[in-house]
Amino acid sequence: MRELTIALTKGRLASKTMELFEKIGIRCDEMKDKDTRKLIFTNEEYGVRFFLAKGPDVPTYVEYGAADLGIVGKDTILEENRKIYEVLDLGYGKCRMCVCGPASARSYLEHNQMIRVATKYPNIARDFFYNQKNQNVEIIKLNGSIELAPIVGLSEVIVDIVETGSTLRENGLTVLEEVCPLSARLVVNPVSMRMDNDRIRDLILRLKDAVS
Ligand code: PRP
């Protein structure tokens, strides 16, 4: 039988994801070796192989069928907007997508002013301001340390992930509006879902049991 390929997000989600697979009896100890440069890890017993990719690339691998399944944050799913099925909320990696800034920026939002919005998530920010709030803003794409933008005067506000809130607090910023709640999700390639229906359904059900 063909191996099922599962794309995992590198970084914060990876260890929780491996814990989850261990819970349903699929171990992959090789992947825990921090010194390894290997990219693909096979568990022959269960006929699955895992690989680690950058978050925004996971939906791409799954859309093209290079991975049958993927585990990725809801933020990335919304931002990438790929043709994939989101089948399960895994319940970890919980955080919020928020509009943040200095408290003084609150009035710009209340009065629908033309402001600059810095973010790593231009599609989510555009959808929120244009479609949900009907506010015309200029979106500026950044690649990290987004909290810097309002501090140094690049933008009035940011759209970014808030988990504990400590990055905001330590930089004198605050949540101004919530865009949506986020967590890790299981995604599936639509063709794999049809072709390997039994195996994929079984895996979804076992993961669902393990997280509930
Ligand atoms: C994320 C996010 C915030 C921070 C929020 O950044 O962009 O900066 O975490 O977490 P907190 O509310 O618990 O402080 P990340 O560490 O992923 O790095 P980045 O700045 O490079 O995006």
Side-chain angles (χ1 to χ4, degrees), residues 12 120-121 143-147 160-168:
R12 293 188 195 205
K120 205 153 80 170
Y121 302 90
N143 294 296
S145 302
I146 315 297
E147 291 83 359
D160 200 17
I161 290 174
V162 179
E163 192 181 351
T164 60
S166 53
T167 311
L168 290 179

Side-chain angles (χ1 to χ4, degrees), residues 4-183:
L4 280 181
T5 302
I6 306 175
L8 308 183
T9 298
K10 265 187 193 171
R12 293 188 195 205
L13 295 182
S15 57
K16 286 259 183 197
T17 300
M18 288 320 296
E19 270 173 38
L20 176 60
F21 277 98
E22 272 178 25
K23 245 182 161 178
I24 65 167
I26 304 179
R27 296 183 67 89
C28 197
D29 292 335
E30 242 190 327
M31 208 156 139
K32 290 185 178 164
D33 175 3
K34 294 218 179 335
D35 296 327
T36 186
R37 304 295 293 167
K38 259 181 96 164
L39 296 170
I40 300 208
F41 306 89
T42 303
N43 179 318
E44 278 164 19
E45 193 185 345
Y46 291 95
V48 297
R49 55 179 192 166
F50 297 99
F51 67 81
L52 285 166
K54 287 265 187 192
D57 296 338
V58 169
T60 312
Y61 282 108
V62 175
E63 178 180 292
Y64 283 90
D68 301 290
L69 299 116
I71 290 183
V72 65
K74 178 70 177 175
D75 50 320
T76 306
I77 297 174
L78 291 170
E79 183 61 26
E80 296 298 316
N81 201 17
R82 294 277 176 181
K83 294 186 196 75
I84 51 179
Y85 294 152
E86 181 190 320
V87 293
L88 186 62
D89 184 345
L90 297 167
Y92 57 85
K94 275 204 168 101
C95 48
R96 302 180 292 154
M97 185 65 72
C98 297
V99 181
C100 311
S104 59
R106 204 176 289 281
S107 67
Y108 300 132
L109 299 175
E110 282 161 5
H111 300 107
N112 270 16
Q113 290 196 31
M114 175 71 193
I115 50 171
R116 290 196 289 207
V117 180
T119 186
K120 205 153 80 170
Y121 302 90
N123 293 327
I124 294 176
R126 203 171 293 117
D127 178 68
F128 181 71
F129 280 102
Y130 291 11
N131 301 334
Q132 298 184 43
K133 287 187 57 85
N134 275 319
Q135 183 170 356
N136 199 7
V137 298
E138 182 181 346
I139 311 269
I140 301 173
K141 163 88 201 272
L142 292 179
N143 294 296
S145 302
I146 315 297
E147 291 83 359
L148 265 176
I151 298 172
V152 299
L154 176 65
S155 70
E156 280 74 27
V157 300
I158 61 176
V159 167
D160 200 17
I161 290 174
V162 179
E163 192 181 351
T164 60
S166 53
T167 311
L168 290 179
R169 264 193 308 281
E170 287 180 28
N171 291 289
L173 305 174
T174 185
V175 171
L176 301 170
E177 280 192 58
E178 180 171 321
V179 177
C180 60
L182 305 168
S183 56

